[in-house]
Amino acid sequence: MATKSSSAAAAGGKRKAFGKHNEDGRTKAAKTISGKKHIKAEAEDNESSDESSDVEFHTEENTTSTPNESGNGSNQAKSGTSSREAHAKQKQVAQERKNAKPLADEVHRTKKLWEKLRRKSHVPKEERQQLVEELFTIITGRVKDFVLKHDAVRAVQTAVKYATPAQRRQIAKELQGTYAQLAESRYAKFLIGKLLVQNDKEIRDLILPEFYGKVRKLINHAEGSWILDDVYRGVATKEQKANLLREWYGPEFALFRQPKGTEVTGDLSKILADEPSKRTTAMKYLFDMANGLIQKKMTGFTMLHDALLQYFLNLNPESDEFKEFFETIKEDETGDLLKNMAFTKSGARLVCLLLAHGTAKDRKQLLKAYKDTYQLMSGDNHAHAIILAAYDLLDDTVLTSKTIFSEILGKDAEHIAFLANDLNARTTALYLFEGMSKALFPASHATDLEILKEIHEIRTKTSKKDPEVRRKELVTAMSPQLLAAIASSPADLVATSFGCQFVTDVLLSATGDKKAALEAIASTAGGDPNAEAPEDAYQALPPHISTTIHGGRMFKTLISGGRFDKATGSIQKVDPPLNFADLFYPVIKDYVVQWATGPSSFTALGLLEASDFSSKKELLKTLKSNKKALTKAATEAPAPKKEETEEKPKAKKGKNASAPKGNQGSKLLLEKLEA
């Protein structure tokens, strides 16, 4: 019976099959697994296989065995057994080596505990507490020995996860002095994150100071750079951030710390104002350190973006340093640097300033990096500011509409609904209509207003086109798609407060044919405002738009045909006029009394006050015939609905206690009828 042949062995420059017999009946020399040559032996010698149990022979027999050669079959059987024994022996040796390592038994036990603890849903709480206690008895006092082992550090992370605050602090204190080393470890770096994610100030103040003086080394390390940046971005205090950022300005800032009790600043302009002589060395050190990361394509760090902004803010726009820096940013062929900067606070501001200072060609090249990214940018806390800056800076409005509008507006109405309701994305759609109004930029977006004011001042020197002309051209380009979205899905848009604001701004300020959009919005007011779902209905009816504050405000504004100007105390009507009242009244005609006595009574009042409303006499006649209902609404508090009375907490006494009762809109309507 033939056995499997092994790989060929080279001899005398020719390849010969291993295990084949020469004419003299002897086998070729063979190499063992360990690399040693096996001694030559005669084929009929049965003892050769016994003497070398760790060597495996592979023979190939093509002839019938003679009695003298009958030992070959026995050798093959024995060689098969010896192979298994060899593997078993190897496993035994490997296990012995493993057991000889320090803390072998402890590591083995912690791994068993980790296997149980990691299956959280399969371990009862009491059993988990016992396992954690056992785990702590093993690692306490020896945490440093465990954390640098790739398999044991997972058990320590699990211990931190289920530990009490006191136990976490105990682990953190045991590791004191090793955090910079742990940050460079492929596995132990995650333990730092586990300790810091609990937001324990004592642990934070133990870990962070150990990175002082090591920023340059860690930020260039493949593993340490990410944990350093995570700590800088996520948990560091303002003072700790300043200490870390100062190390980008030169070795002396890494070696010497500010005295305790003094204010620490990372603002390079303030540092240079106090010590102007350090400008040359600090700027060169900062640029070299940042450029090294850019060249290595390590551009995703928030700390890097903060440092680049500090460098840029201290450059003279007319200097060679400025031009060199601008070219460094533009030379990033992949665009990763610009894309990463867009999603951090300092990075987004820096991109906006680069756009403001650049030429038309520079702006086009910078924005080219964001192709296929604008939709994601529109909803980001920081990146949306770059889109707003592009609106205000690019003179080529055709380019803006083709590159930016095509992405952020999408191809369907669903994306427009997202655009209208997202706190960040809505600014990219409505900025051209509302400008820098507080309604569009609440306190949370104060940074946007600061950036816009900054670039408006710069563009007076770098842009040629009149800002108002640019704005009108962009509105004209954006209007058709927005109006089409309103006409196709009005119910989705008017369901929210932000959606109603979006609809109002677009219909007042957009250009083009608005009739279909106005009719669609008017249709959302149809139906009985007081309708309730039947008792056997699967789910409650959505609230009628007349019962919402934002819905009534939207209709009243559209009926008036313009925005209220506080300076003049009058409505500034749009041109051409909307004539929305005549589209709206036929829809609510059958339920106009419910509107006049309900939460949106000011909408009915707006119809009477509208100068372009053609059915005013008919409305007055209807209201006079229902004067009793108006009087009741004006003098009595509205009866609460069933769902409002269920489990509703008692209102506290306050300002509302002295508020006038009755519907104020109904009162004003009565005055109109009596006039």
Side-chain angles (χ1 to χ4, degrees):
M1 178 178 173
T3 62
K4 294 180 181 178
S5 61
S6 69
S7 60
K14 297 181 181 180
R15 298 177 62 85
K16 294 184 179 180
F18 175 78
K20 286 201 174 183
H21 290 60
N22 291 336
E23 293 178 358
D24 58 358
R26 295 179 181 273
T27 58
K28 286 287 183 183
K31 286 187 178 180
T32 65
I33 297 171
S34 61
K36 295 180 179 180
K37 289 188 176 181
H38 191 277
I39 60 172
K40 294 183 179 180
E42 292 187 2
E44 65 251 9
D45 189 358
N46 296 333
E47 295 178 1
S48 61
S49 62
D50 296 330
E51 294 171 357
S52 306
S53 60
D54 61 332
V55 180
E56 183 180 353
F57 279 95
H58 299 280
T59 59
E60 220 177 321
E61 295 293 335
N62 296 325
T63 59
T64 307
S65 298
T66 63
N68 292 334
E69 295 172 339
S70 61
N72 289 339
S74 176
N75 285 343
Q76 292 170 11
K78 287 185 178 181
S79 66
T81 303
S82 64
S83 174
R84 287 193 295 271
E85 291 175 354
H87 286 306
K89 188 175 181 180
Q90 288 172 357
K91 286 181 79 174
Q92 183 181 355
V93 170
Q95 187 63 39
E96 288 174 356
R97 288 175 181 170
K98 204 171 187 181
N99 294 338
K101 292 181 179 179
L103 302 174
D105 294 336
E106 290 84 350
V107 170
H108 179 72
R109 181 56 187 156
T110 57
K111 287 164 68 175
K112 292 293 183 184
L113 293 171
W114 174 77
E115 283 290 341
K116 293 181 180 179
L117 285 169
R118 72 188 183 92
R119 303 179 69 196
K120 183 176 179 181
S121 60
H122 294 74
V123 181
K125 186 177 180 180
E126 293 180 0
E127 183 183 350
R128 185 167 68 244
Q129 288 177 344
Q130 294 175 358
L131 293 173
V132 171
E133 287 175 7
E134 183 180 352
L135 186 57
F136 265 93
T137 59
I138 297 172
I139 66 174
T140 299
R142 296 179 289 191
V143 176
K144 289 183 181 179
D145 298 324
F146 280 88
V147 293
L148 293 175
K149 300 179 185 295
H150 73 90
D151 48 356
V153 71
R154 292 179 297 184
V156 180
Q157 290 180 40
T158 304
V160 171
K161 180 179 179 181
Y162 294 114
T164 63
Q167 289 173 325
R168 287 193 202 101
R169 294 188 193 106
Q170 178 188 339
I171 292 176
K173 288 176 182 177
E174 277 196 48
L175 293 173
Q176 202 167 3
T178 64
Y179 287 110
Q181 181 187 2
L182 298 182
E184 295 177 348
S185 170
R186 184 177 180 183
Y187 302 100
K189 66 179 181 181
F190 298 111
L191 177 60
I192 299 177
K194 285 283 186 183
L195 287 168
L196 290 172
V197 76
Q198 304 297 333
N199 201 24
D200 188 309
K201 294 181 180 179
E202 185 178 339
I203 294 176
R204 179 197 66 200
D205 294 338
L206 279 174
I207 296 175
L208 263 159
E210 295 198 16
F211 296 145
Y212 293 164
K214 303 179 181 70
V215 169
R216 187 182 183 103
K217 180 186 177 183
L218 288 174
I219 201 66
N220 283 284
H221 192 275
E223 307 294 342
S225 55
W226 291 106
I227 194 66
L228 173 65
D229 194 65
D230 286 345
V231 168
Y232 174 84
R233 182 184 68 252
V235 298
T237 64
K238 186 178 180 180
E239 182 179 344
Q240 289 167 340
K241 281 186 177 182
N243 276 318
L244 294 171
L245 189 59
R246 285 168 69 91
E247 295 190 27
W248 290 71
Y249 306 151
E252 62 183 283
F253 294 97
L255 295 172
F256 305 107
R257 302 266 147 231
Q258 292 286 93
K260 286 188 177 180
T262 59
E263 184 183 356
V264 182
T265 179
D267 191 336
L268 183 57
S269 59
K270 291 182 180 179
I271 296 172
L272 297 181
D274 295 337
E275 299 178 83
S277 60
K278 293 183 179 180
R279 187 187 186 284
T280 303
T281 54
M283 293 290 283
K284 185 178 185 305
Y285 190 89
L286 172 53
F287 179 77
D288 291 343
M289 191 169 166
N291 191 40
L293 293 174
I294 294 172
Q295 298 307 319
K296 289 191 288 186
K297 308 297 182 186
M298 299 171 67
T299 58
F301 305 126
T302 301
M303 190 185 291
L304 170 64
H305 304 162
D306 287 352
L308 288 173
L309 178 63
Q310 290 299 321
Y311 182 82
F312 183 83
L313 293 175
N314 287 277
L315 290 175
N316 181 355
E318 305 299 329
S319 66
D320 293 334
E321 288 177 325
F322 184 90
K323 294 175 183 176
E324 182 184 3
F325 179 78
F326 214 114
E327 290 302 318
T328 302
I329 302 297
K330 291 196 299 180
E331 284 172 2
D332 181 33
E333 296 178 357
T334 60
D336 289 342
L337 174 60
L338 285 166
K339 286 178 182 176
N340 286 325
M341 286 198 301
F343 296 94
T344 63
K345 183 178 180 180
S346 294
R349 183 186 173 194
L350 177 56
V351 175
C352 291
L353 293 175
L354 289 171
L355 289 170
H357 282 285
T359 62
K361 186 177 180 181
D362 292 333
R363 292 165 183 163
K364 185 176 180 181
Q365 186 173 347
L366 291 173
L367 292 174
K368 189 177 180 181
Y370 297 117
K371 185 180 179 182
D372 300 327
T373 315
Y374 288 112
Q375 187 170 329
L376 180 64
M377 291 168 64
S378 67
D380 184 75
N381 288 338
H382 308 296
H384 71 275
I386 296 174
I387 298 176
L388 303 182
Y391 291 164
D392 282 343
L393 295 169
L394 262 67
D395 291 339
D396 188 352
T397 53
V398 175
L399 176 66
T400 305
S401 61
K402 286 183 178 179
T403 56
I404 300 179
F405 291 170
S406 60
E407 288 191 34
I408 67 170
L409 299 181
K411 295 181 179 179
D412 51 29
E414 288 184 9
H415 188 69
I416 299 292
F418 159 76
L419 203 67
N421 289 290
D422 184 81
L423 192 61
N424 298 310
R426 63 195 295 269
T427 61
T428 62
L430 298 181
Y431 175 61
L432 297 172
F433 300 111
E434 282 205 29
M436 298 166 63
S437 70
K438 291 182 180 179
L440 186 59
F441 294 98
S444 60
H445 285 58
T447 306
D448 292 351
L449 295 177
E450 293 173 5
I451 293 174
L452 291 172
K453 289 176 183 177
E454 199 171 4
I455 64 174
H456 288 173
E457 185 177 347
I458 299 170
R459 76 177 176 183
T460 57
K461 301 175 184 177
T462 59
S463 293
K464 298 178 181 178
K465 185 172 286 189
D466 180 78
E468 186 59 22
V469 172
R470 183 191 295 109
R471 188 193 70 81
K472 288 181 178 179
E473 289 178 357
L474 292 174
V475 167
T476 301
M478 183 184 276
S479 294
Q481 201 163 346
L482 297 183
L483 291 172
I486 293 172
S488 62
S489 57
D492 294 335
L493 289 171
V494 301
T496 63
S497 176
F498 279 167
C500 286
Q501 184 185 350
F502 174 85
V503 168
T504 303
D505 288 337
V506 171
L507 291 178
L508 290 177
S509 304
T511 60
D513 187 3
K514 305 175 186 177
K515 187 176 181 181
L518 290 167
E519 289 176 346
I521 294 300
S523 67
T524 61
D528 184 0
N530 300 326
E532 294 183 3
E535 293 182 0
D536 58 347
Y538 180 72
Q539 59 183 5
L541 291 173
H544 192 272
I545 193 169
S546 67
T547 63
T548 63
I549 297 174
H550 51 266
R553 187 184 297 120
M554 176 189 69
F555 287 129
K556 186 176 185 301
T557 304
L558 293 176
I559 289 168
S560 65
R563 293 188 177 89
F564 181 77
D565 186 3
K566 290 183 180 179
T568 60
S570 60
I571 301 293
Q572 301 295 318
K573 293 185 177 291
V574 297
D575 186 31
L578 298 180
N579 296 323
F580 183 71
D582 286 339
L583 297 174
F584 179 70
Y585 180 68
V587 177
I588 68 163
K589 182 178 178 180
D590 295 337
Y591 303 100
V592 71
V593 177
Q594 286 90 325
W595 280 77
T597 57
S600 294
S601 56
F602 280 94
T603 303
L605 180 64
L607 287 171
L608 290 180
E609 293 176 346
S611 58
D612 57 354
F613 180 41
S614 60
S615 302
K616 188 178 296 186
K617 291 182 180 179
E618 182 182 347
L619 176 58
L620 283 169
K621 184 179 179 181
T622 303
L623 293 176
K624 285 179 180 179
S625 62
N626 291 274
K627 192 173 181 179
K628 187 180 291 185
L630 286 172
T631 304
K632 183 179 179 181
T635 55
E636 298 178 7
K641 291 187 177 181
K642 181 180 178 182
E643 58 269 17
E644 293 177 352
T645 58
E646 294 176 355
E647 299 181 1
K648 186 175 181 180
K650 292 182 179 180
K652 294 181 179 180
K653 292 183 178 181
K655 292 182 179 179
N656 292 334
S658 59
K661 294 182 179 180
N663 190 315
Q664 298 302 303
S666 299
K667 286 183 181 180
L668 294 174
L669 282 169
L670 284 172
E671 293 177 7
K672 288 279 185 184
L673 295 178
E674 293 171 358

